[in-house]
Each structure stands twice: as C-alpha cells, then as structure tokens.
C-alpha cells in the first residue's frame, strides 16, 4: 500500500514538473579536470550548517571530489525543501547526496524509490552502523541513510528557581519526580502565576511528542503505531502519558493550561526565557540558544536534566531524538563518491561544522567538551549555562529503535489531537478518550490496508 501511495504521489509531482517547469539548474555534473562533481541537495541553509567551511574541509581531504551544494530553502523550511526535491527528482535533475530532516520524509522517499541502500558500501567499509552511530536508521532491514546531528530531547531548568525552592539539578529522575519538581516550582496566582512546567503541544496535529511522554524513555515501540503497522495505543504508557498531563494541569495546576497555549499562541522560548515557566521539555537544537540570544536574552542560570524515566530501574538516557538523514540518491552517477561524502560528513565533518553534537559514537569526551564550548560561545551569556549538566545529558542520551512512519501518519496525529482536546477540555473522561482514540486509529489503519 505504501509503495502504491508513493508511486501515485511521484506521478502527480511529475505532472506538476512538466507543466510548471523546474526552477533548479539541471545541468549535468560529471568529471571535470579529473575531478568527480557530486550534487548535494539539502534543506539546510548556510547560517545553520556552516556549509562553506565544512565542504571546503571535505574537498581538501578528498581533492578528487567536488561538492556542488544545492540549498532547497534559504530560510531552512523543510516542507518547502521537500517539495522542491520531489520536483527536481521528477524532472530528472541530477542528484547524488540527499538530506532529510525527519523520519517521515526519509521513509517516504525510500518508499518512492528515490534513495539507494547503503548496505554493500557499509560492508566494504567494514563497520556496523549500530555500533558506529547513536541513531538507528534502518528501514525493512536495510540502511538507506547515515545520521548527522544528534538532538535528543531534554528538560531545561531555570536554576535560579531550583535554588529558590531548594531543589538539586537532577542527574536522572522519574516522571513522578519531575511532576513533584513542577509542583514545587509553581508559584503565585492569576496573571502573575509562574508554572512549574510548560508543554508546547500537541497542537494542530503537530508536536505530538507531548502526547507520548511516557513512551519516550523506551528502547523500542515509542510511537503510536508498532513497527508492523498495528496500533500501540493499548500500551499502558500511552494511558500514563494522558494521566500525567491531566494531573499536572487539573489537579496539581503546575503546568501551563493547554487552553492558554492555544488561545494566546504561546511559544516555548518565550515561556522559558521570560520565566513564565521554570521547566520546558524540548529538543537539544536549543543548545545554540541556551546562553540567550538577542531576541531572548538570558537573565538567569540554566541547567539541563535528562528525559525522565518511568521507573527508577528503567534504562537511563533514552529520549526522542531528531537527526539529519544523509542518503545517496538511487539514480546517482557517482554513488561511491556520494557515500564517501556522507560517511565523512557524519563523522569528522560534524566536528568541523561545529553546529551540533554528532550522532557518531567515536566523539571523545574532550571533543564533546570542546564542541559544547564552541556552540555556547555563539550565545550572549554562555557563562550562565551549567555546562557540566549539558555535557552529561548529551553524552548519556540514546535513541530508540526507529519505527518506520506510515503514509497516513498525519491522519492519526489529527485524530489523537482531537481526542486529547476532548479530554483536556472536560468533554470526555480518560477511559472514553482512550477507547475513542483506539477505535478511530484502528479505522484509519484498516482503511489503508484495502
């Protein structure tokens, strides 16, 4: 079903390309002056990815390979980039290296036949992907991409508020302990109330991490669907996630009300940096902003805690993780050179780029320490960040086994968001919410099997 769906999508894209034309230069790239030129299509802009310095370093190390960078969105808009990438593929534009920003974009293009498997090239190189990298990128038993950056989710803490409440920076903690912290950090009433924690979702079928809190600290089955496509909503951890959201907002009144988030269009950066909330759970793309920015200056000390566990004896470190999926195009004329580039970029290239913590397991303590220094140095007040807690969380974080996304993922997210809103707005109880969610999601699964 999935392959048929993507075949239809690709056909539609090809029709659009034929009528609309493609604005990207599709001049053939090949061997020039004894060099092989590869084309690298990415959503990442220069400001976020430091491409000039990074690619120059690669070309110095591999003088026989030239990288022609194709930035698909100057503002770093991943949706715009994917539309342009599909148009480029449909029009037959030459492409060698592809970058995807999320599992769905990656899995969808694999399903469309746009991406080449890397198994043989990896075997020639003589390493095991699972040992080499922190992020699992396998789909149907094959590796189609190597992971770039490593952005685990974590909890950011206002250390001034912790000190005021006599609370230590957690080294590891459970959800129960996190909820207790949220209660103790909540202060004041009415318009001047400061909440212990702010959750930035779900909203509009997005930010669904906030509907699977308790599922996040697991090595496997962290999604609403299992790897075989069946529903995972019978997991007690899905129920626990809803129970926690209810308790914190309704009983403890320690989390910013969901209705306020929607009606006031609140944002996690403002809630945290303006000290409206003492804790936020968010991805470590925030590393580049932790010391404050011109837009959001830092006027307090910040510490970092790991993603909470469900039980004390659960494995430490598992958290939702985002990465960049670096792939070789299925129709590349230079697959070996394209692979050389992504292998280099996902290892030493990440250190040269200096923008993110890499997924590469061979980054040593000293290198990680220096990377964190370099990243924080780009902020306004790096001295206000508890670097020790940040390095500890980053070094101990682990990614769960990837559950391949399905083509109808957005439908499932929409349904779950709707049922959650009925629950949080007191229109139905917890048992009804879970039953309705299970029945509606199962209907979507069944309709996509036909």
């Amino acid at each position: 079903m999935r392959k048929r769906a993507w075949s239809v999508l690709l056909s539609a894209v090809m029709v659009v390309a034929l009528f609309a034309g493609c604005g990207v230069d599709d001049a053939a790239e090949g061997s020039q002056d004894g060099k092989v030129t590869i084309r690298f299509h990415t959503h990442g802009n220069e400001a976020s990815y430091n491409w000039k310095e990074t690619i120059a370093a690669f070309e110095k190390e591999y003088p026989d390979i030239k990288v022609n960078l194709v930035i698909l969105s100057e503002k770093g808009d991943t949706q715009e980039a994917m539309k342009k990438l599909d148009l480029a593929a449909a029009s037959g534009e030459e492409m060698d290296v592809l970058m995807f920003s999320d599992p769905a974009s990656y899995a969808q293009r694999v399903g469309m036949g746009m991406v080449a498997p890397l198994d043989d090239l990896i075997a020639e190189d003589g390493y095991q992907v699972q040992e080499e990298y922190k992020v699992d990128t396998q789909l149907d038993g094959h590796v189609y991409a190597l992971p770039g950056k490593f952005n685990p989710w974590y909890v950011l803490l206002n250390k001034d508020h912790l000190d005021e409440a006599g609370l230590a920076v957690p080294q590891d903690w459970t959800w129960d302990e996190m909820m207790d912290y949220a209660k103790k950090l909540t202060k004041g009433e009415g318009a001047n109330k400061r909440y212990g924690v702010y959750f930035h979702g779900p909203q509009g079928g997005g930010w669904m991490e906030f509907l699977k809190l308790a599922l996040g600290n697991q090595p496997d089955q962290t999604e609403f669907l299992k790897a075989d496509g069946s529903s995972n909503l019978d997991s007690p951890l899905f129920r626990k996630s809803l129970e926690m959201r209810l308790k914190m907002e309704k009983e403890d009144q320690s989390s910013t009300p969901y209705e306020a988030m929607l009606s006031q269009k609140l944002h996690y950066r403002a809630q945290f940096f303006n000290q409206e909330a003492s804790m936020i759970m968010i991805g470590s793309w925030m590393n580049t902003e932790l010391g404050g920015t011109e837009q959001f200056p830092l006027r307090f000390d910040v510490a970092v805690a790991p993603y909470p566990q469900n039980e004390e004896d659960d494995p430490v470190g598992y958290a939702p993780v985002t990465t960049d999926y670096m792939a070789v195009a299925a129709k590349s004329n230079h697959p070996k050179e394209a692979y050389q580039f992504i292998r280099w970029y996902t290892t030493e290239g990440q250190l040269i780029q200096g923008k993110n913590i890499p997924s590469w397991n061979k980054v040593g303590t000293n290198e990680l320490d220096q990377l964190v220094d370099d990243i924080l140095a780009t902020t306004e007040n790096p001295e206000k960040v508890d670097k020790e807690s940040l390095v500890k969380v980053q070094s101990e974080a682990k990614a769960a086994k990837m559950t391949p996304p399905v083509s109808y993922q957005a439908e499932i997210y929409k349904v779950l968001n709707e049922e959650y809103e009925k629950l949080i707005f007191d229109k139905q109880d917890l048992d009804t919410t879970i039953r309705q969610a299970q029945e509606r999601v199962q209907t979507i699964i069944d309709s996509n099997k036909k």
Side-chain angles (χ1 to χ4, degrees), residues 122-375:
I122 290 168
E124 281 180 35
D125 246 4
Y127 66 90
Q128 297 291 322
V129 173
Q130 296 91 329
E131 294 173 7
E132 194 80 355
Y133 297 98
K134 292 178 185 290
V135 179
D136 173 33
T137 60
Q138 288 188 82
L139 288 171
D140 300 325
H142 297 283
V143 176
Y144 291 91
L146 299 180
K149 65 188 178 187
F150 182 68
N151 280 347
W153 280 54
Y154 51 27
V155 180
L156 295 184
L157 306 147
N158 184 316
K159 196 167 182 297
D160 291 6
H161 293 176
L162 289 186
D163 292 344
E164 178 189 285
L167 298 170
V169 176
Q171 301 294 302
D172 58 79
W173 56 346
T174 63
W175 277 110
D176 285 344
E177 289 169 324
M178 188 269 195
M179 291 164 73
D180 185 55
Y181 266 56
K183 259 200 306 190
K184 289 175 178 173
L185 290 166
T186 300
K187 185 177 180 181
E189 295 294 337
N192 297 320
K193 183 169 182 176
R194 183 189 83 200
Y195 289 94
V197 66
Y198 171 77
F199 295 116
H200 192 58
Q203 48 178 303
W207 294 99
M208 298 302 284
E209 292 87 355
F210 295 101
L211 265 195
K212 48 188 176 186
L213 300 178
L215 287 160
N217 181 248
Q218 300 296 304
D220 198 2
Q221 295 190 6
T222 60
E223 301 293 336
F224 300 121
L225 298 184
K226 297 176 184 174
D228 62 4
S230 62
S231 173
N232 194 30
L233 299 184
D234 59 352
S235 166
L237 298 182
F238 176 60
R239 170 181 282 271
K240 179 176 179 176
S241 299
L242 298 180
E243 285 174 339
M244 290 194 300
R245 290 297 303 268
L246 269 181
K247 185 175 191 301
M248 281 187 270
E249 178 167 335
K250 304 292 186 180
E251 186 180 327
D252 298 346
Q253 297 183 10
S254 60
S255 66
T256 308
Y258 183 77
E259 192 277 331
M261 182 201 73
L262 294 181
S263 63
Q264 298 174 36
K265 297 182 179 178
L266 302 179
H267 195 275
Y268 60 87
R269 286 183 178 88
Q271 292 305 109
F272 186 66
F273 286 109
N274 294 340
Q275 304 193 69
E276 304 288 335
S278 300
M279 301 188 291
I280 58 168
M281 193 182 82
I282 203 66
S284 56
W285 58 79
M286 285 296 291
N287 287 351
T288 57
E289 302 175 45
L290 285 191
T293 60
E294 189 176 339
Q295 185 181 7
F296 293 106
L298 181 62
R299 298 185 175 92
F300 53 92
D301 288 341
V302 171
V304 183
Y307 194 92
Q309 302 150 233
N310 290 304
E311 305 293 341
E312 279 187 26
D313 56 356
D314 278 356
V316 175
Y318 281 106
V321 168
T322 59
T323 189
D324 287 320
Y325 297 85
M326 302 297 298
V328 174
K331 294 185 178 179
S332 170
N333 292 323
H334 310 289
K336 286 195 173 181
E337 289 83 359
Y339 167 76
Q340 277 183 307
F341 175 71
I342 68 170
R343 174 64 173 151
W344 176 90
Y345 173 72
T346 58
T347 53
E348 61 190 278
Q350 288 285 289
L351 301 176
I352 290 166
Q353 192 171 53
K355 289 286 188 179
N356 293 287
I357 307 300
S359 293
W360 191 31
N361 271 324
K362 293 187 178 176
V363 175
T365 304
N366 291 340
E367 290 169 313
L368 178 59
D369 208 62
Q370 185 59 53
L371 256 180
V372 169
D373 277 342
D374 292 345
I375 291 168

Side-chain angles (χ1 to χ4, degrees), residues 44-155:
N45 57 23
E46 176 63 27
S48 299
Y49 282 87
N50 191 23
W51 290 127
K52 287 177 184 174
E53 184 181 346
T54 306
I55 289 173
F58 172 78
E59 291 177 344
K60 185 177 180 181
E61 191 167 335
Y62 293 87
D64 293 334
I65 305 174
K66 182 180 185 303
V67 180
N68 186 343
L69 182 68
V70 182
I71 295 177
L72 296 164
S73 173
E74 288 295 342
K75 59 181 183 283
D77 184 321
T78 55
Q79 289 185 319
E80 177 192 9
M82 286 303 99
K83 287 176 184 175
K84 286 186 177 178
L85 182 68
D86 290 343
L87 283 170
S91 66
E93 183 178 328
E94 191 166 332
M95 47 181 62
D96 300 289
V97 175
L98 310 175
M99 177 192 266
F100 305 107
S101 65
D102 61 273
S105 298
Y106 164 52
Q108 287 165 10
R109 273 71 195 179
V110 169
M112 289 163 69
M114 196 186 289
V115 182
L118 302 176
D119 307 271
D120 292 344
L121 291 164
I122 290 168
E124 281 180 35
D125 246 4
Y127 66 90
Q128 297 291 322
V129 173
Q130 296 91 329
E131 294 173 7
E132 194 80 355
Y133 297 98
K134 292 178 185 290
V135 179
D136 173 33
T137 60
Q138 288 188 82
L139 288 171
D140 300 325
H142 297 283
V143 176
Y144 291 91
L146 299 180
K149 65 188 178 187
F150 182 68
N151 280 347
W153 280 54
Y154 51 27
V155 180

